[in-house]
Amino acid sequence: MARVAFAWELGGEYGHVMSCAGLARGLEMRGHHIGFMFRELRQLGVIPEARNYDVYQAPRSAREGMDVSPRPAGYPDILLGCGYRNPRELTALVGGWRSLFERWKPDLIVVDFGPTALLAARSLGLRCVTYGNGFFVPPRTAPLPAFRVDDAIDPVVLAASDAHVLASANAALAHFGAPPLGRLADLFETAEDFLCTLPELDHYGGREPSGYYGPRVRFDRGADVTWPQGGGKRIFVYVKREMVQLEALLGLIASSPHRIVSYIPELDATRRARIVGRNHVYSDRPLRLDTFLKGCDMLVTHGGEIAAGCLTYGIPALAFPTHYEQYITARRLQQLGTGFWCAPHATADDVARGWSQVLENPVYAASARAFAARYKSFSPAEQRRRIIARIEALLSKGGAILLSLIHISEPTRLRRISYAVFCL
């Protein structure tokens, strides 16, 4: 059987780990050997099967986040803040990834938001697939497209960032004797893209051609929690304790007559005591959501992949995005009429207004249910089965057999294909 490495480089929290672990478990059950090369390892404590895998700390830039534009225009701006501004630093990061790959000797690398892992694999001639939402894998254009939707983007500035990142990447490749990239977009040319989102939620809009596998969600792991007894609606809160409007949100939770379950990692005891009551349950562990969500009336979160996954259950969201990936998802939800988002500078009144809007305006719930009905055949388990089948085809036949999605260029037909794939 094959050796399959999972490489996760950028981003944070549990979504990356839970999604990768679900796919890894399916591959392990097929007899494949699994290695995790992750930027964060603490989340593996809630993934029991990870004990069977080889686990390594992924290389990280010491200056990560220091040089990031507060309003990045596109993917290159993010990379400039993650080691790509300085060719020497990037070369060192590529060397770290190369050392992991040379030591572990994978037959295939599943890359989750891992541009430098892709660069290192290219320098070694290793085969990769990408596995993530639309934000992680941009469309193949030169320069890479902007993802900003709230401002006009100067194409000259966009092209300059793209060229800077390309030069650094090619300097690193040259150091290891590998051919250069012709354009930055070539970095993302892999054996397969597992694009785990839906056309309406794609950070870059509909792609041409594209195949969508649906949100990569794994809701079958975590603590079993039931809704509190009583009346009122049912609200699931999953936010970070560092969020700017946390005090305003806690005030709403404490005074709400609704039934609430919250997961706010590492919330201090004082604030926890403030909100726990007859109609509120606090969990200090991630929740098992596959059955729990079926009774949920509103999700309160930062956005991201959990919001996309919950939307397939017909759940509207109140979102507090903390970075641009979440912000784009939050805007998509609001455009669809399935959510309301609060900016980082939102006041307590803004938070209360968003809370009331999503709970009391029936349009949000109706839009979310209509969205879920369009994708009623979507199944995370079936999604993983299809991805595993494609991975095994790549491993056994060199990728010659196409088992996955049909790629169609006509935008008018894109949605029909994305709907139909879940019915196969």
Side-chain angles (χ1 to χ4, degrees):
M1 289 287 101
R3 296 171 64 82
V4 181
F6 284 74
W8 167 40
E9 180 183 353
L10 301 177
E13 293 310 313
Y14 285 90
H16 300 273
V17 172
M18 296 290 277
S19 298
C20 287
L23 185 58
R25 176 58 176 160
L27 288 165
E28 181 196 22
M29 292 177 67
R30 299 280 297 171
H32 301 292
H33 190 48
I34 304 298
F36 279 172
M37 300 166 187
F38 282 179
R39 68 175 276 115
E40 296 175 5
L41 303 180
R42 60 184 176 84
Q43 295 94 332
L44 293 177
V46 299
I47 309 294
E49 59 266 37
R51 290 192 294 265
N52 300 327
Y53 308 153
D54 297 331
V55 176
Y56 302 92
Q57 175 66 55
R60 296 177 61 172
S61 169
R63 293 183 54 79
E64 184 177 305
M66 294 184 185
D67 299 319
V68 175
S69 167
R71 296 172 67 80
Y75 205 112
D77 288 337
I78 294 175
L79 296 182
L80 288 173
C82 297
Y84 283 69
R85 188 174 297 278
N86 185 320
R88 293 181 62 185
E89 180 182 0
L90 178 58
T91 299
L93 290 172
V94 172
W97 280 106
R98 282 171 56 97
S99 294
L100 288 179
F101 295 154
E102 288 174 321
R103 179 183 308 168
W104 203 75
K105 295 179 173 55
D107 298 300
L108 182 75
I109 305 168
V110 179
V111 181
D112 174 354
F113 206 176
T116 315
L118 287 172
L119 196 60
R122 172 179 285 266
S123 75
L124 291 167
L126 296 175
R127 190 162 40 177
C128 296
V129 298
T130 57
Y131 175 57
N133 64 29
F135 190 79
F136 307 162
V137 184
R140 312 295 198 268
T141 64
L144 291 178
F147 51 57
R148 284 278 295 281
V149 293
D150 50 354
D151 285 324
I153 302 300
D154 185 343
V156 175
V157 174
L158 191 70
S161 296
D162 190 281
H164 190 150
V165 172
L166 176 61
S168 294
N170 281 339
L173 289 172
H175 178 85
F176 295 108
L181 298 168
R183 55 181 190 160
L184 185 56
D186 293 343
L187 174 62
F188 303 96
E189 292 296 340
T190 60
E192 187 81 13
D193 289 339
F194 297 116
L195 187 58
C196 295
T197 185
L198 295 166
E200 300 93 330
L201 300 175
D202 191 338
H203 295 78
Y204 292 93
R207 300 170 194 238
E208 188 179 355
S210 294
Y212 292 89
Y213 280 81
R216 55 168 199 174
V217 292
R218 192 188 188 194
F219 289 160
D220 61 346
R221 285 289 184 276
D224 288 313
V225 175
T226 57
W227 290 103
Q229 297 297 314
K233 294 186 177 180
R234 290 159 292 195
I235 304 167
F236 173 44
V237 177
Y238 171 32
V239 297
K240 295 181 181 179
R241 62 185 176 91
E242 298 87 2
M243 69 174 281
V244 177
Q245 300 91 355
L246 183 61
E247 288 304 316
L249 180 60
L250 293 178
L252 289 170
I253 293 173
S255 62
S256 176
H258 301 292
R259 290 173 282 171
I260 302 172
V261 174
S262 66
Y263 171 53
I264 308 173
E266 301 175 358
L267 186 66
D268 61 271
T270 299
R271 288 189 286 185
R272 190 183 306 181
R274 175 184 170 193
I275 58 175
V276 172
R278 176 183 54 81
N279 64 335
H280 177 233
V281 172
Y282 175 86
S283 175
D284 58 3
R285 296 176 55 205
L287 306 184
R288 176 167 180 163
L289 300 177
D290 49 357
T291 55
F292 172 78
L293 286 178
K294 294 176 182 177
C296 186
D297 296 299
M298 180 172 75
L299 169 71
V300 180
T301 189
H302 296 298
E305 293 184 275
I306 189 171
C310 287
L311 190 54
T312 65
Y313 282 76
I315 302 168
L318 174 61
F320 297 87
T322 61
H323 53 67
Y324 218 81
E325 178 200 344
Q326 295 171 345
Y327 167 66
I328 299 173
T329 298
R331 281 184 61 103
R332 292 275 190 267
L333 295 175
Q334 188 153 312
Q335 290 165 353
L336 290 167
T338 63
F340 186 97
W341 71 276
C342 292
H345 58 266
T347 65
D349 288 342
D350 294 330
V351 174
R353 182 164 53 253
W355 177 280
S356 298
Q357 280 270 13
V358 179
L359 272 183
E360 298 171 11
N361 187 336
V363 170
Y364 291 95
S367 297
R369 288 194 297 269
F371 185 94
R374 294 201 299 272
Y375 291 103
K376 63 183 179 181
S377 297
F378 172 66
S379 161
E382 175 63 11
Q383 178 204 63
R384 286 194 294 272
R385 186 199 67 79
R386 291 176 57 81
I387 292 174
I388 289 168
R390 177 60 180 145
I391 286 175
E392 292 197 314
L394 291 168
L395 288 168
S396 63
K397 299 285 181 73
I401 299 176
L402 295 178
L403 296 179
S404 101
L405 301 175
I406 300 171
H407 295 282
I408 288 187
S409 59
E410 298 91 330
T412 56
R413 297 181 62 195
L414 178 59
R415 182 169 296 177
R416 290 204 299 272
I417 289 298
S418 65
Y419 293 174
V421 71
F422 305 126
C423 306
L424 298 177

